[in-house]
């Protein structure tokens, strides 16, 4: 058989190649004895190549297609991608023990996977089969085999060459005869061809590709399906290939012949299709194999892939088999279990055909000879091409920021090789590395599959075009695909587009009037999907109600008074409060900030109120910058003057201008009362031990205008010693002058100031209440003092008059001069005159040109009721002086 070694018998069987073919397929190998054949299942192959060889004498003989047909081997595949090797038990290489046990050894070599090296497996299987019929016929798709019992020859010798075709071939009663003895040797095979008889020596026949074998009791003949010495004949309208022989055996001068014939159906003309069904007609009476018209069909079996199915399984699979006068009729659903789809590409269009490998087994006896024939046909059915236009389904979900698509439907024999994007070609590995999720999904019945792909919008392969508040994403791609069995490449191009509205976050706008913040929130493109915080509080329904919250589907608004606790006070100014409102919009799930907004406004506000009756009120607000301040601890200059009420945000003070350390200043046309709210020293010293020492100083003041028409007039009232103001018309003005001498007849001009004087020179002061025609009020000097600076509160200071009386410690005491009515003086009580000797401050010794400023606080008294204080004052020593 050496001459038969040669080409490998190579099957490329890539199973439903999954994209993640990273895992090396670990191969299943199993064997099954199925009557007169054996099946070896290998797989799933998953992209690897399988070489099959037969082992004889420890040597592998590669199975080429011709050796396979000659020797009884065939190979098919099943839907799962397994290779199914069919082996006739009587194959050329079988070790035959008494025609009962048949041992075949195969060598399987897997190679061509992109991972790892070749794998070699040996499979040795022995099948027992001892129910041989007198004739057994196997119709495989690549060969016809007939095995007949070798009976002892009749006692008449044969010429050894010519056998008349008129002689009935199957008339021998071989069944009753003992087997032919071993002395007989097959020498010649006579083929009955379409052209007539054709004798060939056994050796020549074997060289021509026929298999001729002797077993202890049987003769086995095998022919490739379409061998030249076979012919086609229609049987009941079904074309069949006929292999008809007579084999001559010789022993010395004896010769005998054994006739053997097989007829196998051809595909064309025996299978018919509708949309959904395959119908296979097998002639019931296969004439070339039946000599007399009389025969008995004993058994009919149906199977798939060489394995019989029982009636229940047939029904479950929707298979049906029936007999009529002429045919064994099999009906199979297209797409059903047991078969599979295979892909085809024609003119760039995708087609599938459905494949199934049914088997029918018949057993009959002929009445005339009582000989049994077992007839087994393996049939390969492939439907016409069924168009299956490919479809790309766009499954993109808005908001997911990626294209999602499904491409299908494909038979399992298609693999996705690559995808071409405008930016380049990516292999499947490239796609995975790039973050494109590619998956393969098999339909539940495994007959078809689809690919799914996801491409994020952010990928450079995607074109983006923005404008008009939308972004258009487009993807152009071409799928590169391959039919694994045939290495045919094809492609599918597609375009997808997604229009996404640009994301606009919510926006906040606001305004203020004299007392409120007005906030308007406009929803973004995602609507009302946020939580609102006002200051540090969530906008709860009750807070919303409090802030007059209104909503209309696209906006909401609310109003926050500037005095609300959710507002932060940034600064207190003379007549306003600067406050800030913070509004934050948060994502309720992640708590992430979507929008932060602040608005600050100055609200006119009377921090200090001045009442005509001399009462002052002051509101001290806690500032955002002094968060640790406790307002209740605040006091006026006099630490005993605390707030009348307070809480954690403010302190409210009420006091009169002559109390709580309020300072008073005379200005040219107004009276100024000043105080300061702060933390008293004791609190500060306590606090100063800690690192954070709140600083809080709020100056409060009242100015009583002298010359406004709304100003005050003094009325003499009983039991009133303090200025008493009432809203009425009147004017009050006080003026101080220097007189040229003690006659007080002439005054220094205002333009002459400052006036230079030598030390110890006398200065003649006069203080006058102007614009008052009330003789019952008197002007009294409360305090007079001198400073170096213009500021009346500046230091150093020298007191001239204290509580209406000359400073007792002054070495050059002030001298009062009495006032008499004259041309200048109408009401003497409206005047006060005093004399001071020019002096200098001790620290101003070196610079005698230093200026001196003289200030006085005056009091208006009711002369009828000089109750106490300055108004009723008598100075112990002044009388004497004034007289002097
Ligand atoms: C081997 O066959 C068994 C049973 O048919 C199957 O479950 C298993 O998946 C197969 N192994 C491989 C690697 O395919
Ligand atoms: C196998 O070996 C036997 C004995 O060694 C020999 O007779 C036979 O011809 C060999 N078969 C083949 C196919 O080489
Ligand atoms: C198998 O599944 C495919 C896809 O789901 C379907 O089109 C086909 O009809 C199914 N075949 C059978 C026999 O159920
Ligand atoms: C991509 O696949 C197509 C079709 O399967 C094939 O023709 C082409 O050569 C492949 N391109 C690359 C770069 O691999
Ligand atoms: C909602 O209120 C806002 C602001 O007042 C206004 O601009 C908008 O037109 C209103 N929308 C509807 C639907 O009424
Ligand atoms: C001063 O006037 C205010 C406002 O009219 C009043 O509330 C307050 O009691 C008055 N104070 C005195 C001491 O009369
Ligand atoms: C008061 O009078 C002075 C001078 O007569 C003038 O300058 C000032 O503007 C007046 N004040 C008011 C508030 O009218």
């Amino acid at each position: 058989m050496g001459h038969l070694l040669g080409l490998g018998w190579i099957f490329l069987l890539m199973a439903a190649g999954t994209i993640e073919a990273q895992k090396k397929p670990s191969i299943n190998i199993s064997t099954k004895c199925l009557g007169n054949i054996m099946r070896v299942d290998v797989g799933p192959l998953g992209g690897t190549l399988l070489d099959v060889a037969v082992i004889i004498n420890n040597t592998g003989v590669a199975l080429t297609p011709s050796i396979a047909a000659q020797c009884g081997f065939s190979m098919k595949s099943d839907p799962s991608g397994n290779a199914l090797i069919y082996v006739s038990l009587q194959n050329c290489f079988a070790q035959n023990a008494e025609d009962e046990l048949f041992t075949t050894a195969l060598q399987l070599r897997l190679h061509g996977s992109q991972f790892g090296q070749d794998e070699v497996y040996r499979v040795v299987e022995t099948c027992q089969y001892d129910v041989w019929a007198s004739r057994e016929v196997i119709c495989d798709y690549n060969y016809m085999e007939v095995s007949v019992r070798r009976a002892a020859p009749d006692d008449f010798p044969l010429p050894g060459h010519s056998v008349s075709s008129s002689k009935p071939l199957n008339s021998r009663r071989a069944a009753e005869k003992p087997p032919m003895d071993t002395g007989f040797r097959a020498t010649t095979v006579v083929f009955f061809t379409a052209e007539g008889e054709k004798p060939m020596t056994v050796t020549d026949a074997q060289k021509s590709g026929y298999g001729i074998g002797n077993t202890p009791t049987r003769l086995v003949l095998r022919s490739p399906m379409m061998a030249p010495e076979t012919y086609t004949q229609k049987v009941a309208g079904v074309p069949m290939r006929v292999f008809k022989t007579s084999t001559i055996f010789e022993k010395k001068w004896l010769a005998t012949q054994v006739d053997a014939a097989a007829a196998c159906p051809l595909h064309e003309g025996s299978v018919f299709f509708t949309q959904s069904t395959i119908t296979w007609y097998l002639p019931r009476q296969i004439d070339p194999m039946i000599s007399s018209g009389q025969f008995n069909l004993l058994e009919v079996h149906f199977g798939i892939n060489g394995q019989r199915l029982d009636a229940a399984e047939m029904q479950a699979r929707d298979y049906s088999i029936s007999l009529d006068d002429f045919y064994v009729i099999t009906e199979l659903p297209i797409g059903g279990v047991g078969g599979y789809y295979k892909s085809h590409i024609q003119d760039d269009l995708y087609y599938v055909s459905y494949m199934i490998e049914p088997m029918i087994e018949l057993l009959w006896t002929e009445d005339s000879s009582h000989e049994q024939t077992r007839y087994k046909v393996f049939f390969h059915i492939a439907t016409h091409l069924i168009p299956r236009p490919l479809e790309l389904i766009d499954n993109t979900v808005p908001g997911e920021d990626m294209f999602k698509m499904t491409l299908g439907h494909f038979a399992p024999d298609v693999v996705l090789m690559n995808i071409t994007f405008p930016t380049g070609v990516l292999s499947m590995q490239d796609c995975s590395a790039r973050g494109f999720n590619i998956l393969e999904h098999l339909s539940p019945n495994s007959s078809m599959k689809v690919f799914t792909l996801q491409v994020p919008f952010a990928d450079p392969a995607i074109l983006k075009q923005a404008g008009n508040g939308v972004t258009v994403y487009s993807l152009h791609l071409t799928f590169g695909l391959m039919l694994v069995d045939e290495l045919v490449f094809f492609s599918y191009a597609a375009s997808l587009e997604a229009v996404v509205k640009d994301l606009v976050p919510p926006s906040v706008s606001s305004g203020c009037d004299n007392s409120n913040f007005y906030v308007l929130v406009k929803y973004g493109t995602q609507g009302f999907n946020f939580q609102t915080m006002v200051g540090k509080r969530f906008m709860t329904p009750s807070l919303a109600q409090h802030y007059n919250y209104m909503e209309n589907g696209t906006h909401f608004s609310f109003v926050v008074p500037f005095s609300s606790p959710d507002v932060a006070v940034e600064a207190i100014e003379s007549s306003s409060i600067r406050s800030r409102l913070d509004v934050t919009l948060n994502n309720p799930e992640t708590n992430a900030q979507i929008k932060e907004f602040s608005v600050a406004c100055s609200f006119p506000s009377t921090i200090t109120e001045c009442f005509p009756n001399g009462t002052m009120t002051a509101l001290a607000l806690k500032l955002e910058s002094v968060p640790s301040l406790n307002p209740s601890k605040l006091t006026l200059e006099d630490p005993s003057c605390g707030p009348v009420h307070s809480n954690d945000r403010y302190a409210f003070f009420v006091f009169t201008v002559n109390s709580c350390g309020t300072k008073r200043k005379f200005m040219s046309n107004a009276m100024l009362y000043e105080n300061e709210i702060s933390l008293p020293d004791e609190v500060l010293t306590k606090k100063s031990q800690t690192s954070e020492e709140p600083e809080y100083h709020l100056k409060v003041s009242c100015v009583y205008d002298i010359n406004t028409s709304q100003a005050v007039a003094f009325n003499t009232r009983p039991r009133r010693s303090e200025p008493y103001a009432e809203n009425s018309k009147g004017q009050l003005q006080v003026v101080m002058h220097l007189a040229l001498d003690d006659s007080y007849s002439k005054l220094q001009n205002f333009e002459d100031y400052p006036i230079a004087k030598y030390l110890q020179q006398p200065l003649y002061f006069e203080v006058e209440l102007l614009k008052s025609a009330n003789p019952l009020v008197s002007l009294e000097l409360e305090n007079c003092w001198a400073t170096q600076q213009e500021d009346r509160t500046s230091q150093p200071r020298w007191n001239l008059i204290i509580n209406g009386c000359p400073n007792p410690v002054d070495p050059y005491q002030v001298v009062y001069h009495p006032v008499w009515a004259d041309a200048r003086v109408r009401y003497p009580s409206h005047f006060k005159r005093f004399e001071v000797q020019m002096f200098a401050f001790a620290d101003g010794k070196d610079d005698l040109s230093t200026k001196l400023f003289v200030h006085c606080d005056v009091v208006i008294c009711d002369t009828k009721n000089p109750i106490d204080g300055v108004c009723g004052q008598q100075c112990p020593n002044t009388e004497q002086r004034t007289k002097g």
Side-chain angles (χ1 to χ4, degrees):
M1 288 250 167
H3 66 283
L4 292 173
L5 290 167
L7 294 168
W9 191 30
I10 295 169
F11 288 76
L12 176 65
L13 281 169
M14 283 197 203
T18 54
I19 286 167
E20 65 277 78
Q22 262 81 354
K23 277 178 291 171
K24 180 176 184 165
S26 57
I27 293 287
N28 273 339
I29 300 174
S30 64
T31 57
K32 278 194 180 73
C33 298
L34 302 166
N36 55 8
I37 63 144
M38 166 177 111
R39 198 179 86 196
V40 182
D41 297 357
V42 186
L45 293 181
T48 52
L49 301 173
L50 174 63
D51 285 353
V52 183
V54 185
I55 304 164
I56 337 153
N57 291 351
N58 260 329
T59 315
V61 176
L63 281 178
T64 62
S66 58
I67 293 178
Q70 182 174 30
C71 288
F73 295 86
S74 72
M75 182 137 95
K76 303 179 177 104
S77 62
D78 76 355
S80 320
N82 297 302
L84 308 184
I85 305 164
Y86 290 77
V87 181
S88 168
L89 293 192
Q90 301 187 94
N91 70 73
C92 307
F93 311 106
Q95 279 185 291
N96 178 337
E98 299 305 321
D99 277 337
E100 269 192 40
L101 296 170
F102 301 88
T103 304
T104 306
L106 297 178
Q107 178 177 282
L108 309 176
R109 201 161 71 88
L110 290 160
H111 62 100
S113 77
Q114 60 242 70
F115 314 99
Q117 298 153 339
D118 292 5
E119 293 171 58
V120 178
Y121 301 98
R122 283 196 169 197
V123 181
V124 181
E125 179 64 287
T126 302
C127 291
Q128 181 171 18
Y129 187 70
D130 54 7
V131 292
W132 292 101
S134 14
R135 179 169 57 179
E136 305 231 343
V137 173
I138 296 174
C139 296
D140 207 332
Y141 77 99
N142 56 338
Y143 67 86
M144 300 181 269
E145 179 186 286
V146 54
S147 157
V148 294
R149 179 171 295 146
R150 261 187 330 147
D154 288 331
D155 48 356
F156 67 91
L158 263 169
H161 49 281
S162 95
V163 177
S164 164
S165 58
S166 60
K167 239 180 171 178
L169 276 164
N170 296 316
S171 61
R172 283 164 204 292
R173 290 158 304 184
E176 291 103 51
K177 296 199 171 180
M180 191 187 282
D181 79 55
T182 49
F184 283 94
R185 219 167 47 84
T187 54
T188 309
V189 181
V190 180
F191 294 92
F192 296 83
T193 69
E195 289 81 38
E197 296 177 16
K198 186 173 175 187
M200 227 187 260
T201 66
V202 166
T203 316
D204 286 346
Q206 285 177 329
K207 281 184 181 162
S208 302
Y210 296 98
I212 300 162
N214 267 311
T215 74
T217 63
R218 301 181 75 85
L219 168 67
V220 185
L221 291 162
R222 207 175 290 106
S223 165
M225 187 59 91
M226 301 306 281
E229 284 76 31
T230 62
Y231 60 94
T232 301
Q233 178 187 333
K234 279 202 171 175
V235 180
V238 172
M240 298 191 86
R241 199 69 184 174
V242 181
F243 172 46
K244 199 164 172 179
T245 60
S246 195
T247 307
I248 314 287
F249 288 83
E250 290 176 36
K251 180 184 173 186
K252 293 183 183 169
W253 58 90
L254 291 178
T256 185
Q257 76 178 56
V258 175
D259 298 333
C264 293
L266 295 175
H267 196 273
E268 200 63 40
S270 61
V271 184
F272 299 90
F273 307 109
T274 66
Q275 284 272 15
S276 57
T277 314
I278 298 166
T279 310
W280 172 26
Y281 295 89
L282 179 67
R284 182 179 174 165
Q285 178 172 341
I286 303 168
D287 295 336
M289 296 174 57
I290 292 173
S291 50
S292 66
Q294 297 304 304
F295 82 109
N296 241 331
L297 195 52
L298 302 176
E299 291 174 18
V300 178
H301 301 284
F302 180 84
I304 293 286
N305 296 334
Q307 196 159 9
R308 286 182 192 173
L309 297 178
D310 62 22
E313 184 67 22
M314 296 269 293
Q315 197 175 6
R317 295 178 173 206
D318 215 6
Y319 299 163
S320 89
I321 187 159
S322 59
L323 294 171
D324 69 5
D325 288 349
F326 301 103
Y327 303 105
V328 179
I329 304 162
T330 309
E331 286 189 319
L332 305 168
I334 291 178
V337 195
Y340 60 95
Y341 282 108
K342 194 174 146 31
S343 303
H344 305 269
I345 295 296
Q346 273 187 6
D347 300 332
D348 281 339
L349 295 176
Y350 184 73
Y351 297 85
V352 292
S353 59
Y354 178 71
M355 310 282 192
I356 191 159
E357 309 282 344
M359 174 193 78
I360 290 180
E361 227 180 306
L362 305 174
L363 182 69
W364 70 74
T365 49
E366 283 177 63
D367 291 353
S368 53
S369 62
H370 304 292
E371 287 185 340
Q372 288 197 335
T373 298
R374 191 181 306 280
Y375 181 80
K376 187 183 260 190
V377 49
F378 295 102
F379 213 52
H380 171 72
I381 296 177
T383 64
H384 307 301
L385 301 193
I386 306 165
R388 279 286 169 93
L390 294 179
E391 202 184 357
L392 183 99
I393 301 166
D394 186 349
N395 301 317
T396 305
V397 177
E400 287 190 350
D401 288 350
M402 62 167 82
F403 280 114
K404 281 184 168 180
M405 66 206 88
T406 302
L407 179 65
H409 289 77
F410 295 101
D413 60 354
V414 171
V415 289
L416 184 53
M417 304 293 289
N418 61 40
I419 302 178
T420 307
F421 295 97
T423 47
V425 183
L426 299 185
S427 69
M428 294 301 96
Q429 284 90 334
D430 295 340
C431 285
S432 299
R434 187 92 163 249
F436 303 168
N437 191 8
I438 303 184
L439 293 173
E440 187 179 293
H441 306 266
L442 217 55
S443 68
N445 58 28
S446 308
S447 67
M448 295 296 269
K449 69 179 178 186
V450 295
F451 298 105
T452 59
L453 170 66
Q454 298 177 349
V455 182
F457 284 171
D459 193 88
I462 289 182
L463 297 176
K464 299 172 192 68
Q465 219 172 2
N468 292 334
V470 296
T471 302
V472 179
Y473 296 92
S474 40
L475 174 61
H476 305 283
L477 73 178
T478 304
F479 294 89
L481 300 142
M482 184 180 76
L483 307 188
V484 285
D485 295 359
E486 290 143 45
L487 299 175
V488 168
F489 296 98
F490 66 107
S491 62
Y492 182 86
S495 291
L496 288 98
E497 196 175 270
V499 179
V500 178
K501 271 195 185 164
D502 292 344
L503 205 62
V504 177
S507 59
V508 185
S509 55
S510 73
C512 302
D513 63 9
N514 282 345
S515 49
N516 295 303
F517 290 99
Y518 293 85
V519 179
L520 179 68
V521 176
K522 182 179 180 209
Y523 304 166
T525 42
Q526 295 186 312
F528 181 61
N529 67 337
F530 48 81
Q531 233 173 7
T532 310
M533 281 188 89
V534 184
K536 293 186 171 60
R537 285 200 286 178
F538 281 111
M539 180 73 98
T540 57
S542 68
L543 197 60
Q545 196 179 9
H546 187 62
Y547 287 153
N548 198 19
Y549 180 94
M550 303 221 269
E551 203 273 337
N552 74 357
T554 60
H555 296 71
F556 68 75
S557 64
F558 55 94
V559 182
V560 180
F562 84 94
S563 57
S564 149
D566 297 316
V567 170
V569 178
E570 285 188 330
I572 295 169
E573 288 150 12
S574 60
S575 60
S576 66
I577 298 177
R578 188 165 173 80
S579 299
R580 195 187 71 246
L581 177 66
D582 299 327
V583 177
T584 317
L585 309 180
N586 289 331
N587 180 325
E589 277 134 37
T590 65
N591 245 348
Q593 213 169 68
I594 296 172
K595 186 88 193 174
E596 196 182 21
F597 181 86
S598 292
V599 56
C601 291
S602 286
F603 296 92
S605 181
T606 45
I607 296 301
T608 310
E609 270 196 288
C610 307
F611 295 103
N613 62 5
T615 297
M616 279 177 79
T617 62
L619 180 69
L621 291 171
K622 179 160 159 180
L623 289 172
E624 191 194 22
S625 54
V626 195
S628 62
L629 179 75
N630 177 356
S632 70
K633 291 273 196 300
L634 290 171
T635 67
L636 291 162
E637 294 275 13
D638 179 344
S640 64
C641 291
V644 292
H645 45 91
S646 65
N647 66 11
D648 60 337
R649 296 178 41 240
Y650 73 89
F652 186 68
F653 295 88
V654 179
F655 56 101
T656 55
V657 292
N658 63 337
S659 65
C660 296
T662 309
K663 296 207 176 74
R664 175 171 53 181
K665 294 177 187 174
F666 255 103
M667 301 189 301
S668 56
N669 296 301
M671 268 200 282
L672 173 73
Y673 292 90
E674 262 186 347
N675 206 320
E676 189 182 73
I677 296 170
S678 63
L679 282 172
D681 290 344
E682 41 170 314
V683 176
L684 284 178
T685 23
K686 258 190 248 162
K687 289 258 175 166
S688 64
Q689 276 143 13
T690 73
S691 58
E692 278 169 54
E693 181 177 307
E695 275 276 345
Y696 191 96
H697 294 283
L698 178 67
K699 276 217 183 317
V700 295
S701 60
C702 276
V703 177
Y704 288 92
D705 268 334
I706 293 167
N707 56 349
T708 54
S709 56
Q710 290 289 324
V712 288
F714 291 90
N715 282 330
T716 51
R717 283 265 177 99
R719 311 203 56 76
R720 284 278 175 198
S721 60
E722 280 299 308
Y724 176 84
E726 213 173 56
N727 279 340
S728 65
K729 286 212 160 103
Q731 283 174 327
L732 180 68
Q733 209 173 342
V734 178
V735 72
M736 183 152 75
H737 294 283
L738 271 179
L740 293 183
D741 54 35
D742 64 356
S743 72
Y744 286 88
S745 52
K746 283 217 174 99
L747 301 176
Q748 205 87 48
N749 285 328
F750 275 112
E751 304 86 70
D752 300 340
Y753 290 103
I755 295 155
K757 290 280 178 190
Y758 297 107
L759 286 182
Q760 310 245 328
Q761 251 189 321
L763 298 168
Y764 303 100
F765 288 92
E766 180 186 85
V767 183
E768 179 189 0
L769 174 65
L770 300 175
K771 301 184 181 171
S772 174
N774 186 345
L776 295 181
V777 296
S778 70
L779 172 85
E780 300 296 341
L781 299 177
E782 189 179 43
N783 295 303
C784 292
W785 67 97
T787 60
Q788 278 182 303
Q789 310 293 324
E790 190 168 359
D791 182 354
R792 50 191 258 120
T793 62
S794 66
Q795 295 289 349
R797 128 181 192 152
W798 185 251
N799 285 330
L800 303 171
I801 294 168
I802 301 172
N803 279 328
C805 299
N807 180 0
V809 300
D810 191 350
Y812 305 97
Q813 277 191 6
V814 163
V815 176
Y816 278 108
H817 291 282
V819 186
W820 312 107
D822 61 17
R824 280 188 57 241
V825 179
R826 179 145 179 231
Y827 305 108
S829 67
H830 292 184
F831 289 79
K832 278 287 172 297
R833 290 175 180 164
F834 62 92
E835 180 188 325
V836 177
Q837 292 190 7
M838 187 60 193
F839 67 96
F841 282 94
D843 57 349
K845 239 182 258 167
D846 303 333
D847 180 8
L848 297 182
S849 64
T850 309
K851 284 179 189 167
L852 201 63
F853 295 86
V854 175
H855 316 269
C856 285
D857 285 341
V858 300
V859 176
I860 314 297
C861 298
D862 178 356
T863 50
K864 288 265 181 70
N865 297 289
I867 302 163
D868 52 22
V870 182
C871 294
Q873 180 104 14
Q874 293 293 317
C875 295
N877 301 323
T878 42
E879 271 167 297
Q880 185 188 359
R881 284 275 193 118
T882 37
K883 282 178 186 148

